[in-house]
Amino acid sequence: MPTLKIHNPATGALLVEPNADDAASVAAKAAAARAAQPAWASVPLAEKLAVVQRFRAGVVAELDALATTLTMEMGKPIAQARNELNGLLPRIDFFLEQTEASIRDEHVFDGGGMHEQITHIPLGVVANISAWNYPWFVGCNVIVPALLTGNAVLYKPSEHATLTGQHITRLLHAAGVPAAVMQCLVGAGEVGSALLAQRLDGVFFTGSHATGVRIAQAVAPKLLKLQLELGGKDPVYVRADADPLSAAEGLADGAMYNTGQSCCSVERIYVHESLHDAFVERFVATVKGMRMGDPLQGDTYIGAVTRAPQLAVLQAQVDDAVAKGATLHCGGRSRPGPGHWFEPTVLTGVNHTMEVMREESFGPIIGIQKVRGDDEAIALMNDTRYGLTAGVYTRDEAKARELLAQVNAGTVYWNCCDRVSPRLPWSGHGDSGVGLTLSTYGIQAFTRPKAWHLRQP
Ligand code: NAD
């Protein structure tokens, strides 16, 4: 039987080597899910809601231990791991509160002896292939509404968040989800690939653009529902009328939180020339004040880089920028192991010939570019193939709304950043993906509408 080696990215230590899935076990799990799904779909919604309520209670009861596991397997600072778990609770509450209304039968017409009705039926068996950076968030954004709407879920957590994936599955089973209805598949890309070879009714993927494209190509002949939540190169513009100091502090957090490994991390900053120097000074001071080190320490802010190959990507972006004339204010290099570490890095004097302003960094590095005004800022913000989030800092709400309406992104922020709400749809434009999670749309996403034309005899 194959196994998966799970290492702690902060120490390099082998944590555990669980059994992994192979093509035969993936096929068996898919068959079991297919057989079990109709009975789960027929369970009354009130019972499904009670199951998810018990799952929520299970998360609360084990929160500290679950946070420690998350920190050990992907290097997230422990305070931020607890924040992720605490942030999960209102998401679960949103799904508990909104599912009934989101999938209620709709009676849309009565007349001339005809009755027209819409029902929302489950997709069936859905695959969730997931990322490691916020495994509780991106896992449960799919799993919870998929289960509440009557689907069976074949969940392939990232190989860098497998233990968390197994905990999610265990807690759902303990809460009352039948074992065959919610199954965890252990392994890396080849297990994801084996999953895509099964008969499925939906594929919900969170991860990189490159893998997303491969998945889209693999499932194209199946003509199934496909959602891809991919990377970004999220820009923020600090306007001339903004407070440069509070903007710098907020954006330093938005760029470096989770060691810069958030899909909606601030990845590019454009600052009006009149504020640039004050902004940069406060930004650099804020970053220098962020403690990097043992992720299990409560005051650590910058943890380990989860995937070792990303260190070379970060170094190449920094070297490319410096070679083309950028100024390096702090960081700029990896730290020797054990573990994978990259010092928080601030670059100014950057421009769009540099990789750091074009390709997703997904680490603790940021480029800050001076701009002359709104038109230049908007043109630069839109000069990207991605479109996940974008923000503007200004005192002028009307101007913020005017500028954000022109930005090509699924989510826009005024005077805030790196924020996700369960009440709002989470989606990407361009190479940031297709489909959405969260909001009531992200509940209906796991159903198909069925149209009824009913004539009385
Ligand atoms: P990744 O693409 O390397 O892996 C994602 C998942 O795909 C993993 O479970 C992996 O095992 C699996 N996989 C890899 N190759 C596969 C294949 N050929 N077939 C099927 N499955 C395969 O991404 P990652 O490193 O886990 O995540 C980081 C990326 O995710 C970043 O680009 C980040 O921006 C993005 N992300 C996006 C969102 C969002 O909501 N838009 C949220 C979190 C992360």
Side-chain angles (χ1 to χ4, degrees):
M1 175 167 283
T3 59
L4 179 72
K5 286 188 165 59
I6 298 177
H7 291 95
N8 182 336
T11 64
L14 179 66
L15 292 174
V16 56
E17 195 169 345
N19 290 334
D21 278 282
D22 59 16
S25 69
V26 170
K29 287 181 176 182
R34 176 69 54 194
Q37 186 268 331
W40 174 248
S42 70
V43 170
L45 179 59
E47 278 180 43
K48 295 196 192 89
L49 292 169
V51 165
V52 171
Q53 192 69 258
R54 286 195 293 275
F55 168 66
R56 184 194 191 284
V59 172
V60 171
E62 295 186 21
L63 197 138
D64 280 340
L66 297 171
T68 301
T69 300
L70 179 54
T71 292
M72 298 280 285
E73 73 175 329
M74 58 74 66
K76 189 189 292 265
I78 187 74
Q80 297 172 19
R82 290 199 190 101
N83 287 349
E84 181 175 347
L85 281 149
N86 281 312
L88 175 72
L89 305 178
R91 293 193 188 198
I92 295 176
D93 292 340
F94 175 82
F95 292 130
L96 289 170
E97 286 156 15
Q98 295 298 324
T99 299
E100 200 272 328
S102 301
I103 61 171
R104 190 182 285 157
D105 293 357
E106 296 170 61
H107 301 275
V108 293
F109 179 75
D110 249 325
M114 284 298 296
H115 180 77
E116 295 175 1
Q117 181 181 341
I118 302 167
T119 57
H120 299 273
I121 61 171
L123 295 174
V125 176
V126 301
N128 178 21
I129 299 179
S130 203
W132 47 264
N133 60 330
Y134 280 97
W136 283 94
F137 283 167
V138 295
C140 292
N141 287 353
V142 170
I143 294 165
V144 172
L147 290 173
L148 284 175
T149 52
N151 297 277
V153 179
L154 294 166
Y155 169 42
K156 213 298 279 171
S158 165
E159 56 274 34
H160 303 288
T162 302
L163 302 177
T164 292
Q166 290 178 322
H167 281 307
I168 292 172
T169 309
R170 173 181 60 79
L171 288 168
L172 283 163
H173 291 165
V177 179
V181 168
M182 170 69 207
Q183 298 186 72
C184 184
L185 278 56
V186 173
E190 66 282 359
V191 175
S193 201
L195 174 55
L196 298 175
Q198 309 306 313
R199 188 181 146 218
L200 300 167
D201 303 300
V203 172
F204 296 79
F205 172 75
T206 309
S208 64
H209 172 263
T211 308
V213 169
R214 275 201 288 280
I215 286 178
Q217 286 168 337
V219 302
K222 293 181 187 277
L223 303 181
L224 46 65
K225 170 141 194 177
L226 175 65
Q227 290 202 173
L228 303 170
E229 304 220 89
L230 310 178
K233 190 70 196 167
D234 296 359
V236 176
Y237 169 38
V238 183
R239 242 180 134 244
D241 66 346
D243 170 15
L245 305 185
S246 67
E249 288 169 9
L251 293 174
D253 181 60
M256 300 296 167
Y257 192 82
N258 208 33
T259 317
Q261 301 174 120
S262 307
C263 55
C264 54
S265 281
V266 175
E267 290 244 344
R268 300 179 279 152
I269 302 177
Y270 304 100
V271 185
H272 191 268
E273 56 191 358
S274 61
L275 311 176
H276 178 269
D277 293 354
F279 177 90
V280 169
E281 188 182 338
R282 178 60 65 93
F283 193 99
V284 172
T286 307
V287 169
K288 284 183 173 167
M290 293 172 172
R291 191 179 168 281
M292 172 165 140
D294 179 1
L296 287 169
Q297 293 290 322
D299 60 348
T300 293
Y301 187 89
I302 303 281
V305 169
T306 306
R307 294 173 56 256
Q310 197 64 16
L311 296 177
V313 173
L314 297 171
Q315 193 68 62
Q317 289 194 353
V318 172
D319 293 349
D320 169 70
V322 171
K324 290 174 179 163
T327 303
L328 177 65
H329 292 262
C330 56
R333 60 196 162 98
S334 51
R335 262 192 204 167
H340 329 134
W341 303 92
F342 202 91
E343 294 181 355
T345 300
V346 181
L347 294 156
T348 60
V350 293
N351 61 54
H352 280 214
T353 67
M354 302 174 185
E355 290 290 299
V356 73
M357 297 304 272
R358 304 201 70 85
E359 293 304 324
E360 188 177 48
S361 304
F362 221 61
I365 74 178
I366 186 76
I368 302 173
Q369 182 168 351
K370 203 183 274 189
V371 292
R372 287 180 300 270
D374 296 349
D375 291 346
E376 185 184 6
I378 292 296
L380 288 167
M381 290 168 92
N382 283 334
D383 180 26
T384 177
R385 60 193 178 94
Y386 294 109
L388 194 58
T389 83
V392 171
Y393 280 64
T394 170
R395 289 195 166 84
D396 184 339
E397 178 176 355
K399 188 49 90 172
R401 289 179 178 275
E402 180 193 319
L403 296 176
L404 291 172
Q406 298 171 54
V407 176
N408 186 23
T411 291
V412 292
Y413 302 117
W414 175 40
N415 293 337
C416 58
C417 61
D418 191 23
R419 181 178 191 276
V420 180
S421 162
R423 297 167 292 278
L424 295 172
W426 188 251
S427 70
H429 293 186
D431 281 358
S432 291
V434 291
L436 57 84
T437 51
L438 300 175
S439 79
T440 53
Y441 296 102
I443 298 172
Q444 290 182 342
F446 298 95
T447 65
R448 48 182 120 233
K450 188 163 182 170
W452 301 70
H453 302 241
L454 304 169
R455 187 189 293 283
Q456 293 294 333

